[in-house]
Amino acid sequence: MSEPNEATFDIVILGGGSGGYAAALRAAQLDLSVALIEKGKLGGTCLHNGCIPTKALLHAAEIADQTRESEQFGVKAELHGIDMTAVNSYKDGVVARLYKGLQGLVGGAKNITFVAGAGKLVGKNVVEVDGKRYTGRNIILASGSYAKSLPGLEVDGERIITSDHALTLDRVPASAIVLGGGVIGVEFASVWKSFGVDVTIVEALPRLVAAEDEESSKALERAFRKRKINFKVGKPFEKVEKTDNGVKVTISGGETVEAELLLVAVGRGPNTAGLGYEEQGVKLDRGYVLTDERLRTGVPNVYAVGDIVPGLQLAHRGFQQGIFVAEEIAGQNPAVIDEAGIPRVTYSDPELASVGLTEAKAKEQYGADKIKTYNYNLGGNGKSQILKTTGFVKLVRVEDGPVVGVHMVGARVGEQVGEAQLIYNWEAYPAEVAQLVHAHPTQNEALGEAHLALAGKPLHAHA
């Protein structure tokens, strides 16, 4: 330290979420000194308000559904209700154990100084926290995101809530409107329906999870209809009014929907306001930090990672970006991250999992006449029959070329996306994957079967 009020490091990281702490841990492994600054809890949104707690709720929802449906498997059980105090205790326990583990990892790294407090960029290489300045030979901006609302839609935390509030609800509402049919919206709708809530999704776009392949969206919509989850697509929100018993939402065309709660799930915005970024020359677009493919901001030695960088707002994207920047600073010249190669999973019932290009994007990129697709129905997969799930594996390939997109729908298909990522990122041809042996009976076989069929030698399916 040069003076009591100042300290200098190889890297100063503003934000201790997925991207920030991954960068810190990798940099420490590379013998770089790091100051990791976080105003909230280490782990950020994913660990405390996103990925982990929501998936714990989804698992509790799965248990509720399995209990209701147990008799079809010859097991007699009865669901007496949902004890939200106990559900929250289970969820919070998972988060607490992971948080403790992460604190141990960061605290045990000799090259990382953890700084608790709200940081602000006050110089091109200086972050200030509570009057103390931390100078970095390199700066990584990793300040994360927040749950967005819409103009004129005031979140009160009681009747009109965000996902942050939904994660701490101490009761199961009788009914709920979910504003937004993206990943967050359909996951909460799925949980609440399993808990016995009357759910209606309102989405301005023409289909649910519109960023996914259209066939995946349609399959999810069919499944939601079967589960009696109501949804209204192509219906922009107009206004919300509070009623004696909850809320009344008006959507385009004057149609109204009433419920006990309104969950605002219209996406997440970048946490960049008031942090001094623009004052130091960092370019923003609608609050997002603009970077090049190597995550450089344009200000020398200042990088950005995670949800503040335009693109997929996923924890594993943040992890990879954090690792990438740490290695870039260390002079290792890592390979540029292919955004299309980042796996995507929606953990609703059924799950959606994908990697690579949608059919529409592939046709746009390569030409419609160059794209071939194949759908393998999970009805032909033994493990899927055992689980009583329906869905498919869809492959998108360039004619006489590699597979450029894998799209899956069905229970637990998120667990299969690892192999799909390898297929896409290694530019595998169907015949190459067809040579691999997939264990039987597993859902993973469905990936193998689809590639066998696309290679012209189907086993349990038609080519």
Side-chain angles (χ1 to χ4, degrees):
M1 295 188 182
S2 52
E3 332 175 351
N5 244 19
E6 294 184 14
T8 301
F9 299 85
D10 290 321
I11 307 176
V12 174
I13 303 171
L14 184 50
S18 302
Y21 83 70
L25 290 171
R26 183 63 183 127
Q29 291 168 358
L30 295 168
D31 293 324
L32 299 172
S33 61
V34 178
L36 179 60
I37 299 164
E38 172 55 52
K39 68 177 181 179
K41 288 183 175 180
L42 185 63
T45 295
C46 173
L47 178 53
H48 300 285
N49 303 100
C51 325
I52 299 301
T54 56
K55 277 54 184 179
L57 288 182
L58 281 153
H59 183 59
E62 182 184 17
I63 298 298
D65 287 332
Q66 287 177 344
T67 305
R68 281 192 198 92
E69 298 160 5
S70 64
E71 203 158 335
Q72 64 180 304
F73 301 100
V75 178
K76 293 189 176 180
E78 190 175 339
L79 182 65
H80 295 288
I82 306 296
D83 179 349
M84 280 308 299
T85 300
V87 169
N88 284 330
S89 177
Y90 150 69
K91 165 181 64 69
D92 295 342
V94 173
V95 171
R97 287 189 293 276
L98 290 170
Y99 180 41
K100 185 177 180 180
L102 181 57
Q103 286 177 305
L105 276 174
V106 171
K110 62 182 175 66
N111 291 344
I112 299 176
T113 299
F114 181 73
V115 181
K120 181 176 181 179
L121 194 65
V122 295
K124 294 190 190 309
N125 64 337
V126 181
V127 176
E128 186 174 274
V129 184
D130 297 328
K132 184 168 181 177
R133 294 193 165 203
Y134 298 84
T135 299
R137 297 178 185 90
N138 300 274
I139 301 287
I140 301 176
L141 308 177
S143 44
S145 61
Y146 65 92
K148 286 198 303 187
S149 186
L150 294 175
L153 181 52
E154 187 178 340
V155 172
D156 62 13
E158 295 177 0
R159 297 190 198 180
I160 304 171
I161 64 174
T162 67
S163 57
D164 292 346
H165 304 110
L167 284 169
T168 58
L169 274 182
D170 59 0
R171 70 190 192 283
V172 177
S175 57
I177 299 164
V178 177
L179 182 58
V183 173
I184 296 170
V186 301
E187 287 186 353
F188 272 102
S190 192
V191 167
W192 279 342
K193 185 62 181 180
S194 298
F195 284 176
V197 181
D198 181 11
V199 183
T200 301
I201 302 171
V202 174
E203 171 56 60
L205 294 173
R207 53 191 173 91
L208 299 180
V209 285
E212 291 295 334
D213 190 84
E214 187 169 356
E215 287 189 66
S216 296
S217 290
K218 295 303 181 185
L220 181 67
E221 290 177 359
R222 286 193 297 273
F224 272 19
R225 285 190 195 98
K226 190 173 180 181
R227 293 186 62 195
K228 295 182 169 52
I229 296 175
N230 305 309
F231 57 89
K232 298 177 184 294
V233 293
K235 297 283 187 179
F237 165 86
E238 289 189 351
K239 66 177 180 177
V240 60
E241 304 163 79
K242 293 181 182 178
T243 65
D244 292 341
N245 302 313
V247 292
K248 179 167 77 172
V249 171
T250 303
I251 57 181
S252 64
E255 186 178 355
T256 61
V257 187
E258 295 193 46
E260 184 180 326
L261 286 179
L262 170 63
L263 169 64
V264 182
V266 292
R268 299 187 65 83
N271 267 328
T272 55
L275 297 181
Y277 294 176
E278 284 188 299
E279 290 87 336
Q280 300 307 322
V282 175
K283 288 188 171 61
L284 303 183
D285 179 20
R286 293 168 297 133
Y288 290 96
V289 177
L290 298 180
T291 71
D292 64 10
E293 63 178 7
R294 303 200 76 80
L295 300 171
R296 297 173 294 205
T297 64
V299 177
N301 302 321
V302 177
Y303 301 81
V305 301
D307 286 358
I308 60 172
V309 178
L312 297 167
Q313 291 179 316
L314 299 170
H316 46 281
R317 175 181 181 250
F319 293 149
Q320 196 63 27
Q321 289 182 333
I323 293 167
F324 174 92
V325 170
E327 293 179 350
E328 178 82 351
I329 289 169
Q332 294 198 341
N333 194 31
V336 169
I337 299 166
D338 178 1
E339 290 276 318
I342 297 170
R344 311 172 290 272
V345 184
T346 302
Y347 295 87
S348 51
D349 178 17
E351 288 185 356
L352 276 63
S354 62
V355 67
L357 305 179
T358 63
E359 181 180 348
K361 286 282 186 188
K363 286 179 175 177
E364 181 183 312
Q365 187 167 323
Y366 293 98
D369 59 330
K370 296 291 186 186
I371 295 300
K372 305 294 180 187
T373 66
Y374 181 80
N375 284 46
Y376 175 78
N377 192 310
L378 292 186
N381 175 256
K383 188 62 179 287
S384 296
Q385 285 291 317
I386 291 166
L387 295 173
K388 286 189 174 289
T389 187
T390 57
F392 58 79
V393 172
K394 176 180 178 177
L395 304 180
V396 180
R397 76 171 295 197
V398 179
E399 186 176 27
D400 299 325
V403 172
V404 295
V406 181
H407 306 275
M408 299 178 282
V409 179
R412 305 182 188 179
V413 292
E415 300 298 328
Q416 310 308 320
V417 82
E419 183 183 358
Q421 179 191 210
L422 294 178
I423 290 165
Y424 170 81
N425 282 287
W426 288 348
E427 299 180 341
Y429 282 55
E432 293 172 323
V433 182
Q435 295 178 58
L436 304 177
V437 180
H438 294 78
H440 175 77
T442 63
Q443 283 187 292
N444 185 231
E445 277 183 287
L447 265 172
E449 292 273 3
H451 284 85
L452 277 166
L454 202 50
K457 47 182 182 181
L459 185 60
H460 297 101
H462 298 291

